[in-house]
Amino acid sequence: MKTENRDVVSIKDFSKKEIEHILTYAKKMVPYAKGEKYTDILKGKILSSLFFEPSTRTRLSFESAMHRLGGRVIGFAEPSATSQKKGESLADTIRMADAYSDIIVIRHPQEGAARLAAMFAESPIINAGDGAGRHPTQCLLDLFTILTEKKNIKGNKIVLLGDLKYGRTVHSLAYALSLFGAELTFVSPETLKMPKEVINECKEFGGEPTSTANLEKAVKDADVLYVTRIQKERFADMAEYAKVKGAYRVDLDLLENAKKDLVIMHPLPRVDEIADEVDETPHARYFQQVWNGIVMRMALLSLILGATE
Ligand code: CP
């Protein structure tokens, strides 16, 4: 299985077998992520963490993962403090990080930025989110969460709710869930529907994703409800944002007829699309999902840098 020295730009770059290999290996990382076992397999390795867009979970979990494996982290979370401010190009910034480190994690507002970075770096590039494009490590940790909670992915009825147009997490996830044989239902405001291109990708694997505006019915049948935020920052026109703001909300009333073992996930951050009262229900798994992010990122760093437990 060739995972060593790989770029992780899109989940589509990985075969089903390769994804299964990563998911299986990730289980080994659980006791290390919990701090029950210790390792320094990445001692001497340096990760460049280049965040051109805000992040809490992805940036901190990559840092945590690298530290837990004995490696070190350099980088920035605020591009205005870098020489980009003086006009330096993305390509040159990447060349610098390449010279200073062994692996580069990049988040950038521009779709395709991670693919571009991979062209200028010898070191592996991990896409931590590129605009409305892809977020492959989120996808892997989401798959890991569903597998942990449901034991398998195939046959599960999974509802993707929210901003399906700009939501990069759901673009990667819809593809991967179809690859693994899940039954998908998309629920979104009319103007934020899943792009045709992503729907066609899902159909490549024989999946028949359906779209509906009936959230109550979709939730009633669902095994997993994956909620996303409407991303204000992706709208050029705030009047358009105002039209869809608050269009849906997951609360106790909505969950009244849900299956007992319904699992609710969210890549976070949330704004108002999941009521706080849902946190206390047995359905809520979004905080466990966050923790799984460390497990998955430890697994990826370890596999890509060729130092496995
Ligand atoms: N899920 C996710 O990508 O969160 P952050 O934007 O906080 O990294």
Side-chain angles (χ1 to χ4, degrees), residues 54-59 107 135 138 168 267-269:
S55 167
T56 299
R57 280 146 291 274
T58 312
R59 186 171 70 83
R107 169 170 290 189
H135 196 349
Q138 178 71 45
R168 57 193 171 203
L268 304 179

Side-chain angles (χ1 to χ4, degrees), residues 25 28-29 32-33 37-45 47 61-72 294-305 307-309:
Y25 179 70
K28 280 195 180 174
M29 292 292 109
Y32 297 100
K37 284 168 91 175
Y38 295 91
T39 179
D40 60 358
I41 49 173
L42 294 190
K43 192 171 177 189
K45 299 290 185 189
L47 177 148
S61 62
F62 263 116
E63 290 194 13
S64 176
M66 195 64 183
H67 288 302
R68 286 218 183 267
L69 294 170
R72 295 184 176 215
I294 298 179
V295 173
M296 181 47 69
R297 286 164 181 138
M298 286 174 76
L300 280 171
L301 292 172
S302 162
L303 286 166
I304 295 168
L305 289 170
T308 51
E309 274 293 336

Side-chain angles (χ1 to χ4, degrees), residues 7-308:
D7 295 316
V8 183
V9 173
S10 166
I11 199 69
K12 289 175 68 184
D13 298 338
F14 289 78
S15 68
K16 188 176 175 187
K17 263 213 158 77
E18 286 170 334
I19 295 172
E20 283 169 342
H21 174 63
I22 295 167
L23 293 169
T24 303
Y25 179 70
K27 282 189 209 152
K28 280 195 180 174
M29 292 292 109
V30 169
Y32 297 100
K34 282 184 176 163
E36 291 168 359
K37 284 168 91 175
Y38 295 91
T39 179
D40 60 358
I41 49 173
L42 294 190
K43 192 171 177 189
K45 299 290 185 189
I46 297 176
L47 177 148
S48 276
S49 170
L50 313 184
F51 278 72
F52 295 86
E53 248 197 355
S55 167
T56 299
R57 280 146 291 274
T58 312
R59 186 171 70 83
L60 295 181
S61 62
F62 263 116
E63 290 194 13
S64 176
M66 195 64 183
H67 288 302
R68 286 218 183 267
L69 294 170
R72 295 184 176 215
V73 182
I74 58 171
F76 54 81
E78 182 45 75
S80 64
T82 74
S83 286
Q84 286 234 315
K85 190 83 179 160
K86 305 174 208 160
E88 187 160 66
S89 67
L90 176 62
D92 280 359
T93 304
I94 294 298
R95 287 183 176 109
M96 300 311 109
D98 199 23
Y100 302 145
S101 59
D102 305 288
I103 187 162
I104 300 168
V105 173
I106 178 171
R107 169 170 290 189
H108 199 281
Q110 197 183 317
E111 204 170 324
R115 186 75 71 195
L116 186 81
M119 288 165 54
F120 293 101
E122 293 284 320
S123 311
I125 292 283
I126 299 183
N127 182 5
D130 59 333
R134 301 281 166 167
H135 196 349
T137 66
Q138 178 71 45
C139 177
L140 286 165
L141 78 88
D142 292 342
L143 293 177
F144 184 78
T145 302
I146 296 170
L147 262 184
T148 308
E149 298 295 335
K150 295 286 182 188
K151 309 295 173 235
N152 57 48
I153 296 171
K154 192 177 167 68
N156 275 297
K157 291 187 169 62
I158 302 185
V159 175
L160 304 185
L161 166 67
D163 176 356
L164 307 185
K165 179 179 178 185
Y166 298 116
R168 57 193 171 203
T169 61
V170 284
H171 295 166
S172 298
L173 190 59
Y175 169 87
L177 289 173
S178 301
L179 180 67
F180 281 86
E183 292 177 32
L184 298 184
T185 302
F186 303 142
V187 186
S188 67
E190 187 60 32
T191 53
L192 297 176
K193 288 179 106 163
M194 187 64 93
K196 273 209 168 63
E197 168 210 325
V198 180
I199 294 176
N200 289 339
E201 285 174 3
C202 297
K203 288 182 176 170
E204 275 175 36
F205 308 108
E208 279 299 327
T210 55
S211 298
T212 176
N214 190 339
L215 178 59
E216 287 76 13
K217 181 171 181 329
V219 167
K220 190 164 167 272
D221 294 337
D223 299 303
V224 176
L225 172 62
Y226 190 97
V227 188
T228 62
R229 162 181 76 97
I230 294 183
Q231 300 178 82
K232 187 177 180 182
E233 67 273 25
R234 305 273 176 238
F235 285 78
D237 180 353
M238 280 305 120
E240 288 304 309
Y241 171 69
K243 283 183 199 165
V244 289
K245 183 178 181 297
Y248 54 90
R249 182 169 165 87
V250 176
D251 56 17
L252 294 185
D253 283 347
L254 179 75
L255 298 175
E256 206 167 276
N257 296 315
K259 289 182 182 172
K260 278 203 162 39
D261 60 351
L262 168 73
V263 163
I264 301 178
M265 296 169 62
H266 191 311
L268 304 179
R270 68 174 150 175
V271 185
D272 52 11
E273 60 279 359
I274 299 184
D276 290 348
E277 62 195 17
V278 177
D279 299 358
E280 306 307 321
T281 70
H283 303 297
R285 292 292 194 290
Y286 25 93
F287 298 123
Q288 180 64 37
Q289 189 183 351
V290 165
W291 188 80
N292 289 342
I294 298 179
V295 173
M296 181 47 69
R297 286 164 181 138
M298 286 174 76
L300 280 171
L301 292 172
S302 162
L303 286 166
I304 295 168
L305 289 170
T308 51

